[in-house]
Each structure stands twice: as C-alpha cells, then as structure tokens.
Amino acid sequence: MLTIHELHEKLVRRDVSAVEVTKAFLAHKDTVEPKVRAFLSDSREGALKGAAAVDAKIAAGETIADLAGIPGAIKDNICIEGQQATCASKILEHFKAPYNATVIEKLAVSDYISLGKVNMDEFAMGSSTENSAFHETHNPWNLDCVPGGSSGGSAAAVASGSAVWALGSDTGGSVRQPAAYCGVVGLKPTYGLVSRYGLIAYASSLDQIGTLTNDVEDCAIVLNAIAGHDAKDSTSIPQEKQDYKQALVNDVKGLKIGIPEEFFGEGLDAASRKALDDAMDTYKKLGAEIVPISMPNMKYGIAAYYIIAPAEASSNLARYDGVGFGMRVDGKDIVDMYIKTRTEGFGDEVKRRILLGTYVLSSGYYDAYYLQAMKVRTLMKQDFDEALQKCDILLTPTAPDTAFKIGQNSGDPLAMYLGDVCTVPLNLAGLPGISIPCGYKDGLPIGMQLIGKALDEATLLRAAYTFEQNRTDLRMPSPMGEVEL
Ligand code: GLN
C-alpha cells in the first residue's frame, strides 16, 4: 500500500507529479468504490486543482509539506467550507458547512488534498456504519462484513486504497475500532490535543478527531498537521507544538507495558487472544517489560458511556429543530413542525439515544443515572492514573472480535454496544489510544490497542512503530489491489 511518506519522496524527487498521483487514486477509487461505498461525496475537481497547485510549488523549487498533494478523505461530520456535512443524517442532507473546521484550516497549510467526504454512522452513533441514512459501507477485506464504525467510511477508504489517509472522529472508539476491522492504523489523540472546532458535536466531553493511515509514520505525519492549541475550542490544551516524527524510534528497551486483565476476559475471541499474546512476546523479545495489572472499575465502562454519551447527545442534537438549519417538515403549529422534522429527519439509533439521554437527565433519574455515571467515570480515570504510574503504556485488544457480517448485530443494540468495551474507557478518561494491526483471523484483520498517558502520544507512536517495524510478517498485500502510479 502506498504511504504518505513514500509518495512524498516520489513527489520531491519528481518521479511523479501531484496531478498524476491524484489521477491514479481517482482511477483506483472509480474501480473499487462501487464495491466498497466508502464515500458520500466526490471532490475530484478541487483535488485536481489542489494537486496542480502543489506541482507549481515543486516546479518553483519550494519545499512542500509532508502531506502536500497526498489524497485523503474526511469524515462527513467535519466541516469544510461550502461542502456538505451531512453526518450521514437526513436532517443535514442538504446542509453546507459555512466555515472550515480548525483541522481543515491546519491541513490547508499543508496543501492537503481531499477526494471527498466519507460515510459514517448517523451523527457518529454506531459501530458498523450501518446507521448511515444513505448507504452501507463494505469492509475491503470481506465485502460481506462491516468496516466498523462510526468512522467506517474513513477506514474503508484507506484500506481499499482509495485514499492514503483519512480523518475520523472518536467518541467511544469510532477511529480505533474501524481501524482494527479494516487493518489500518487509527489514533485517537488525548482529549484536547486536536481542536474540535467545526466537528459536529455528538458527546462533547468525549469527542476527539483522529487519524486513519496505512502505517505509524503516516499517523505521525497527519497528527503533526492537525494537532495544536486552538482558541476557538475551550477544551483545547495550550501547549507547545511537538514533532511526532521524532517519536518514530525502533526501540522499546525498558518500556513498561501494562496488561490489564479486565480487557482480556469473557467474550474475547480466541484468535484475537492468541494474536495479542504473540504481540506481548514480540515486545518482550525486544526488551520491553510486560506487567500484569488490574483495573477493577473497567467493568462499568459500557454502562457509564451509554449514559453519558446519550445525555450529551440529547442536548447537542436539540439544535436540529427545523429552524436554524437542516431539514424542516412543516406542521400545523410550531410544536407539530418540531415533531415532524425530528421524526422524519433522525434515524432509529439517533432517536434511541436522544430518548435515553433525556431520560437519564430528567429530574427523577438524574441522580440515579447521570450523576452515578459521572462518579464511575472518576473511578475509571483513577484506575488509569494508577496503572499509568506503574507502566508507560497499556496493551489491550481494540475490539473483542474481528469485523462481523453486515446485518448481524443491527437488530440488537446491546450486542452492538458491548463491542465497544475496550475502547470507551479511554474516552471517559480522556487518554490517547492507537489501534494497529496485530494478526488475522479468516482473512480479517485483528487490532491491538495501545493506551498512553495524557499528551504522551510520542511514547504510543514509538511503541506502535517498533512493533510494526519488527513484525513484517503482518504486512499483507492490499485487499483491493494497489494503486497504479
Ligand atoms: N460505537 C460507539 C457509539 O456508538 C462509539 C461511537 C463513536 O466513537 N463516535 O457511540
């Protein structure tokens, strides 16, 4: 699979032009997209224009950014001025973003190229991309399977070779789980490292924009482009900019890797367990220390997340009322108009979460559910604090199993929610996590999650990079063929 760093080299050496690169990716996308259906929109004209501008810079002898001229894809809940931002919802089907998200402004400085907006679960609620109001997306490794979610379009675009990199968002695993299912690298940064300005809100205390790429070096490159303080996001952390490429060191000697037993319990598939055990062996051989630990409050993760996230969602989604923006269905009076608009505009899962969220926030139940969940959140955070005092990083599965069949869980919300057991705790604690491929089962990729201390993405990247460099046996030919340059 072509990576950002390889393509950058080729551009700088003038082996190929940026326009040729974009055209090659568009041609590949045209052949695989009818099967994969990762995209919700097509920005080929803008992409070719952007590529021509990069070629002009190269011709003028200017230095170009690492990402310049390399085709990417953007999840459809991130605003690009003048383009659709549907959140894969009928209610925003005709909405055009009036401004750029901060990540887009930052990417523009790097002369990024976007081939289009990509599919997702409606308002990022889901784990399979089946909740998109428009269409399903297929897993490039097995077209009968889901790509994961909610950033399923982002993961499938990268895994199918239509895009070299993609942005997603992660509220409870939506970057890491699709990355695991599609065999790519997915990073959810520390809460506050990447600005959320212009990311359409799902659950604001958990939402974070993340990256999907073919390897760890590319992950560092995209993170370099999007990280940094932003005055427009009050939860953005003021801190000095780092160069994450410096973290790409093939060495884990002395690194303490915690293995929290609670992530390896009931429900973990045997092949995934084996792949993770092998990964621990790899790290041991490379000189890392494997430290068994216990984090007893992890068992509350799913319950706490599925109270807090819907609570925040019910408030965030109140704005889609047929008045400010988005779809409007007229009614006999204003209340009737609200009801009709929201009934027609939202899909079942979004309605379920709004109902759940309003219920747990209602006066009679606030203490029993919302407040309790917030207390549990603190306990979980303390578990992480203690674990990360003893260890540098933690190693867990990203998901209990590989990608499931399309339709398999769609009638069973609880089964779907339980699949998020390994990813939601990090969002509740605000910590960074990366999913990288660590094996295969029946032709489907298995993901390993590494969890780091807040703002210590560098150690995560070093550990992930070292694994990737030493486990070349895991490199597979691209499931849908290579892009022909
Ligand atoms: N699958 C989880 C949910 O449905 C996480 C989604 C996300 O991270 N956006 O809420």
Side-chain angles (χ1 to χ4, degrees), residues 109-132:
V109 175
S110 300
D111 295 316
Y112 86 111
I113 306 275
S114 165
L115 299 186
K117 305 295 293 289
V118 276
N119 204 12
M120 55 186 282
D121 286 297
E122 184 177 4
F123 283 103
M125 298 176 191
S127 312
S128 66
T129 312
E130 292 166 293
N131 294 337
S132 166

PDB file of all heavy atoms in Angstrom, residues 109-132:
ATOM      1  N   VAL A 109      -2.848  24.453   5.373  1.00  0.00           N
ATOM      2  CA  VAL A 109      -1.477  24.963   5.448  1.00  0.00           C
ATOM      3  C   VAL A 109      -0.505  23.918   4.870  1.00  0.00           C
ATOM      4  O   VAL A 109       0.526  24.260   4.299  1.00  0.00           O
ATOM      5  CB  VAL A 109      -1.102  25.287   6.923  1.00  0.00           C
ATOM      6  CG1 VAL A 109       0.353  25.709   7.054  1.00  0.00           C
ATOM      7  CG2 VAL A 109      -2.034  26.359   7.479  1.00  0.00           C
ATOM      8  N   SER A 110      -0.876  22.642   4.996  1.00  0.00           N
ATOM      9  CA  SER A 110      -0.040  21.561   4.452  1.00  0.00           C
ATOM     10  C   SER A 110      -0.403  21.203   3.010  1.00  0.00           C
ATOM     11  O   SER A 110       0.033  20.180   2.498  1.00  0.00           O
ATOM     12  CB  SER A 110      -0.200  20.290   5.295  1.00  0.00           C
ATOM     13  OG  SER A 110       0.184  20.512   6.613  1.00  0.00           O
ATOM     14  N   ASP A 111      -1.247  22.017   2.366  1.00  0.00           N
ATOM     15  CA  ASP A 111      -1.686  21.733   0.985  1.00  0.00           C
ATOM     16  C   ASP A 111      -2.279  20.344   0.848  1.00  0.00           C
ATOM     17  O   ASP A 111      -1.930  19.569  -0.052  1.00  0.00           O
ATOM     18  CB  ASP A 111      -0.517  21.896  -0.003  1.00  0.00           C
ATOM     19  CG  ASP A 111      -0.028  23.330  -0.076  1.00  0.00           C
ATOM     20  OD1 ASP A 111      -0.881  24.227  -0.144  1.00  0.00           O
ATOM     21  OD2 ASP A 111       1.198  23.552  -0.058  1.00  0.00           O
ATOM     22  N   TYR A 112      -3.199  20.027   1.756  1.00  0.00           N
ATOM     23  CA  TYR A 112      -3.832  18.699   1.716  1.00  0.00           C
ATOM     24  C   TYR A 112      -4.751  18.580   0.503  1.00  0.00           C
ATOM     25  O   TYR A 112      -5.227  19.575  -0.046  1.00  0.00           O
ATOM     26  CB  TYR A 112      -4.612  18.455   3.004  1.00  0.00           C
ATOM     27  CG  TYR A 112      -6.024  18.993   2.990  1.00  0.00           C
ATOM     28  CD1 TYR A 112      -7.115  18.121   2.980  1.00  0.00           C
ATOM     29  CD2 TYR A 112      -6.283  20.350   2.958  1.00  0.00           C
ATOM     30  CE1 TYR A 112      -8.418  18.598   2.957  1.00  0.00           C
ATOM     31  CE2 TYR A 112      -7.572  20.839   2.932  1.00  0.00           C
ATOM     32  CZ  TYR A 112      -8.640  19.948   2.927  1.00  0.00           C
ATOM     33  OH  TYR A 112      -9.926  20.423   2.890  1.00  0.00           O
ATOM     34  N   ILE A 113      -4.996  17.344   0.122  1.00  0.00           N
ATOM     35  CA  ILE A 113      -5.938  17.060  -0.967  1.00  0.00           C
ATOM     36  C   ILE A 113      -7.018  16.150  -0.394  1.00  0.00           C
ATOM     37  O   ILE A 113      -6.707  15.122   0.208  1.00  0.00           O
ATOM     38  CB  ILE A 113      -5.239  16.265  -2.103  1.00  0.00           C
ATOM     39  CG1 ILE A 113      -3.988  16.971  -2.604  1.00  0.00           C
ATOM     40  CG2 ILE A 113      -6.204  15.920  -3.223  1.00  0.00           C
ATOM     41  CD1 ILE A 113      -4.214  18.006  -3.638  1.00  0.00           C
ATOM     42  N   SER A 114      -8.288  16.513  -0.598  1.00  0.00           N
ATOM     43  CA  SER A 114      -9.358  15.612  -0.165  1.00  0.00           C
ATOM     44  C   SER A 114     -10.114  15.116  -1.384  1.00  0.00           C
ATOM     45  O   SER A 114     -10.511  15.899  -2.247  1.00  0.00           O
ATOM     46  CB  SER A 114     -10.319  16.337   0.774  1.00  0.00           C
ATOM     47  OG  SER A 114     -11.515  15.585   0.899  1.00  0.00           O
ATOM     48  N   LEU A 115     -10.317  13.795  -1.448  1.00  0.00           N
ATOM     49  CA  LEU A 115     -11.074  13.228  -2.572  1.00  0.00           C
ATOM     50  C   LEU A 115     -12.569  13.223  -2.280  1.00  0.00           C
ATOM     51  O   LEU A 115     -13.369  12.926  -3.164  1.00  0.00           O
ATOM     52  CB  LEU A 115     -10.595  11.807  -2.880  1.00  0.00           C
ATOM     53  CG  LEU A 115      -9.124  11.677  -3.288  1.00  0.00           C
ATOM     54  CD1 LEU A 115      -8.816  10.247  -3.696  1.00  0.00           C
ATOM     55  CD2 LEU A 115      -8.770  12.621  -4.425  1.00  0.00           C
ATOM     56  N   GLY A 116     -12.942  13.522  -1.033  1.00  0.00           N
ATOM     57  CA  GLY A 116     -14.365  13.602  -0.720  1.00  0.00           C
ATOM     58  C   GLY A 116     -14.653  13.356   0.743  1.00  0.00           C
ATOM     59  O   GLY A 116     -13.765  13.032   1.524  1.00  0.00           O
ATOM     60  N   LYS A 117     -15.930  13.539   1.092  1.00  0.00           N
ATOM     61  CA  LYS A 117     -16.393  13.275   2.454  1.00  0.00           C
ATOM     62  C   LYS A 117     -16.801  11.801   2.530  1.00  0.00           C
ATOM     63  O   LYS A 117     -17.337  11.249   1.560  1.00  0.00           O
ATOM     64  CB  LYS A 117     -17.604  14.171   2.784  1.00  0.00           C
ATOM     65  CG  LYS A 117     -17.365  15.661   2.582  1.00  0.00           C
ATOM     66  CD  LYS A 117     -16.325  16.294   3.500  1.00  0.00           C
ATOM     67  CE  LYS A 117     -16.657  16.370   4.967  1.00  0.00           C
ATOM     68  NZ  LYS A 117     -17.700  17.338   5.328  1.00  0.00           N
ATOM     69  N   VAL A 118     -16.546  11.208   3.680  1.00  0.00           N
ATOM     70  CA  VAL A 118     -16.781   9.766   3.770  1.00  0.00           C
ATOM     71  C   VAL A 118     -17.863   9.376   4.771  1.00  0.00           C
ATOM     72  O   VAL A 118     -18.164  10.102   5.723  1.00  0.00           O
ATOM     73  CB  VAL A 118     -15.470   8.979   4.034  1.00  0.00           C
ATOM     74  CG1 VAL A 118     -14.733   8.716   2.724  1.00  0.00           C
ATOM     75  CG2 VAL A 118     -14.563   9.679   5.019  1.00  0.00           C
ATOM     76  N   ASN A 119     -18.386   8.189   4.534  1.00  0.00           N
ATOM     77  CA  ASN A 119     -19.562   7.676   5.241  1.00  0.00           C
ATOM     78  C   ASN A 119     -19.285   7.400   6.718  1.00  0.00           C
ATOM     79  O   ASN A 119     -18.130   7.223   7.142  1.00  0.00           O
ATOM     80  CB  ASN A 119     -20.033   6.386   4.550  1.00  0.00           C
ATOM     81  CG  ASN A 119     -21.503   6.088   4.796  1.00  0.00           C
ATOM     82  OD1 ASN A 119     -22.264   6.927   5.292  1.00  0.00           O
ATOM     83  ND2 ASN A 119     -21.925   4.882   4.451  1.00  0.00           N
ATOM     84  N   MET A 120     -20.346   7.315   7.485  1.00  0.00           N
ATOM     85  CA  MET A 120     -20.250   7.155   8.943  1.00  0.00           C
ATOM     86  C   MET A 120     -21.604   6.705   9.469  1.00  0.00           C
ATOM     87  O   MET A 120     -22.603   6.762   8.751  1.00  0.00           O
ATOM     88  CB  MET A 120     -19.876   8.503   9.570  1.00  0.00           C
ATOM     89  CG  MET A 120     -20.821   9.651   9.188  1.00  0.00           C
ATOM     90  SD  MET A 120     -20.283  11.262   9.801  1.00  0.00           S
ATOM     91  CE  MET A 120     -20.779  11.138  11.528  1.00  0.00           C
ATOM     92  N   ASP A 121     -21.646   6.263  10.714  1.00  0.00           N
ATOM     93  CA  ASP A 121     -22.935   6.084  11.361  1.00  0.00           C
ATOM     94  C   ASP A 121     -23.532   7.460  11.612  1.00  0.00           C
ATOM     95  O   ASP A 121     -22.811   8.418  11.923  1.00  0.00           O
ATOM     96  CB  ASP A 121     -22.747   5.353  12.701  1.00  0.00           C
ATOM     97  CG  ASP A 121     -22.449   3.881  12.513  1.00  0.00           C
ATOM     98  OD1 ASP A 121     -23.309   3.166  11.977  1.00  0.00           O
ATOM     99  OD2 ASP A 121     -21.354   3.443  12.913  1.00  0.00           O
ATOM    100  N   GLU A 122     -24.841   7.556  11.480  1.00  0.00           N
ATOM    101  CA  GLU A 122     -25.514   8.839  11.640  1.00  0.00           C
ATOM    102  C   GLU A 122     -25.084   9.521  12.952  1.00  0.00           C
ATOM    103  O   GLU A 122     -25.167   8.921  14.030  1.00  0.00           O
ATOM    104  CB  GLU A 122     -27.041   8.615  11.640  1.00  0.00           C
ATOM    105  CG  GLU A 122     -27.813   9.926  11.697  1.00  0.00           C
ATOM    106  CD  GLU A 122     -29.327   9.728  11.619  1.00  0.00           C
ATOM    107  OE1 GLU A 122     -29.816   8.581  11.596  1.00  0.00           O
ATOM    108  OE2 GLU A 122     -30.024  10.769  11.606  1.00  0.00           O
ATOM    109  N   PHE A 123     -24.618  10.752  12.836  1.00  0.00           N
ATOM    110  CA  PHE A 123     -24.123  11.538  13.982  1.00  0.00           C
ATOM    111  C   PHE A 123     -23.070  10.787  14.810  1.00  0.00           C
ATOM    112  O   PHE A 123     -22.923  11.020  16.005  1.00  0.00           O
ATOM    113  CB  PHE A 123     -25.273  12.028  14.875  1.00  0.00           C
ATOM    114  CG  PHE A 123     -25.995  13.209  14.278  1.00  0.00           C
ATOM    115  CD1 PHE A 123     -27.231  13.044  13.666  1.00  0.00           C
ATOM    116  CD2 PHE A 123     -25.420  14.457  14.283  1.00  0.00           C
ATOM    117  CE1 PHE A 123     -27.871  14.123  13.066  1.00  0.00           C
ATOM    118  CE2 PHE A 123     -26.064  15.554  13.689  1.00  0.00           C
ATOM    119  CZ  PHE A 123     -27.285  15.382  13.084  1.00  0.00           C
ATOM    120  N   ALA A 124     -22.365   9.858  14.148  1.00  0.00           N
ATOM    121  CA  ALA A 124     -21.278   9.084  14.790  1.00  0.00           C
ATOM    122  C   ALA A 124     -21.787   8.123  15.854  1.00  0.00           C
ATOM    123  O   ALA A 124     -21.034   7.715  16.732  1.00  0.00           O
ATOM    124  CB  ALA A 124     -20.188  10.012  15.356  1.00  0.00           C
ATOM    125  N   MET A 125     -23.060   7.777  15.769  1.00  0.00           N
ATOM    126  CA  MET A 125     -23.627   6.858  16.756  1.00  0.00           C
ATOM    127  C   MET A 125     -23.723   5.466  16.144  1.00  0.00           C
ATOM    128  O   MET A 125     -24.628   5.184  15.353  1.00  0.00           O
ATOM    129  CB  MET A 125     -25.014   7.335  17.176  1.00  0.00           C
ATOM    130  CG  MET A 125     -24.962   8.699  17.845  1.00  0.00           C
ATOM    131  SD  MET A 125     -26.593   9.282  18.221  1.00  0.00           S
ATOM    132  CE  MET A 125     -26.222  10.979  18.676  1.00  0.00           C
ATOM    133  N   GLY A 126     -22.776   4.628  16.511  1.00  0.00           N
ATOM    134  CA  GLY A 126     -22.798   3.273  15.995  1.00  0.00           C
ATOM    135  C   GLY A 126     -21.404   2.705  15.863  1.00  0.00           C
ATOM    136  O   GLY A 126     -20.406   3.393  16.099  1.00  0.00           O
ATOM    137  N   SER A 127     -21.336   1.429  15.496  1.00  0.00           N
ATOM    138  CA  SER A 127     -20.056   0.727  15.427  1.00  0.00           C
ATOM    139  C   SER A 127     -19.934  -0.059  14.136  1.00  0.00           C
ATOM    140  O   SER A 127     -19.126  -0.979  14.044  1.00  0.00           O
ATOM    141  CB  SER A 127     -19.943  -0.247  16.604  1.00  0.00           C
ATOM    142  OG  SER A 127     -20.283   0.391  17.810  1.00  0.00           O
ATOM    143  N   SER A 128     -20.730   0.273  13.125  1.00  0.00           N
ATOM    144  CA  SER A 128     -20.727  -0.539  11.908  1.00  0.00           C
ATOM    145  C   SER A 128     -20.952   0.253  10.625  1.00  0.00           C
ATOM    146  O   SER A 128     -20.888  -0.314   9.534  1.00  0.00           O
ATOM    147  CB  SER A 128     -21.820  -1.604  12.008  1.00  0.00           C
ATOM    148  OG  SER A 128     -23.097  -0.975  12.016  1.00  0.00           O
ATOM    149  N   THR A 129     -21.259   1.545  10.734  1.00  0.00           N
ATOM    150  CA  THR A 129     -21.610   2.399   9.594  1.00  0.00           C
ATOM    151  C   THR A 129     -22.940   1.978   8.960  1.00  0.00           C
ATOM    152  O   THR A 129     -23.365   2.551   7.962  1.00  0.00           O
ATOM    153  CB  THR A 129     -20.441   2.490   8.568  1.00  0.00           C
ATOM    154  OG1 THR A 129     -19.229   2.765   9.298  1.00  0.00           O
ATOM    155  CG2 THR A 129     -20.582   3.615   7.569  1.00  0.00           C
ATOM    156  N   GLU A 130     -23.617   0.992   9.570  1.00  0.00           N
ATOM    157  CA  GLU A 130     -24.949   0.617   9.067  1.00  0.00           C
ATOM    158  C   GLU A 130     -26.001   1.669   9.418  1.00  0.00           C
ATOM    159  O   GLU A 130     -27.080   1.688   8.832  1.00  0.00           O
ATOM    160  CB  GLU A 130     -25.377  -0.731   9.662  1.00  0.00           C
ATOM    161  CG  GLU A 130     -24.556  -1.901   9.168  1.00  0.00           C
ATOM    162  CD  GLU A 130     -24.778  -3.150  10.030  1.00  0.00           C
ATOM    163  OE1 GLU A 130     -24.385  -3.138  11.209  1.00  0.00           O
ATOM    164  OE2 GLU A 130     -25.343  -4.113   9.521  1.00  0.00           O
ATOM    165  N   ASN A 131     -25.670   2.546  10.388  1.00  0.00           N
ATOM    166  CA  ASN A 131     -26.639   3.575  10.768  1.00  0.00           C
ATOM    167  C   ASN A 131     -26.585   4.808   9.867  1.00  0.00           C
ATOM    168  O   ASN A 131     -27.243   5.804  10.159  1.00  0.00           O
ATOM    169  CB  ASN A 131     -26.416   4.026  12.213  1.00  0.00           C
ATOM    170  CG  ASN A 131     -26.709   2.920  13.217  1.00  0.00           C
ATOM    171  OD1 ASN A 131     -27.457   1.999  12.905  1.00  0.00           O
ATOM    172  ND2 ASN A 131     -26.107   3.003  14.393  1.00  0.00           N
ATOM    173  N   SER A 132     -25.806   4.755   8.789  1.00  0.00           N
ATOM    174  CA  SER A 132     -25.832   5.865   7.829  1.00  0.00           C
ATOM    175  C   SER A 132     -27.211   5.924   7.192  1.00  0.00           C
ATOM    176  O   SER A 132     -27.778   4.879   6.843  1.00  0.00           O
ATOM    177  CB  SER A 132     -24.782   5.619   6.732  1.00  0.00           C
ATOM    178  OG  SER A 132     -25.001   6.503   5.640  1.00  0.00           O
TER     179      SER A 132
END
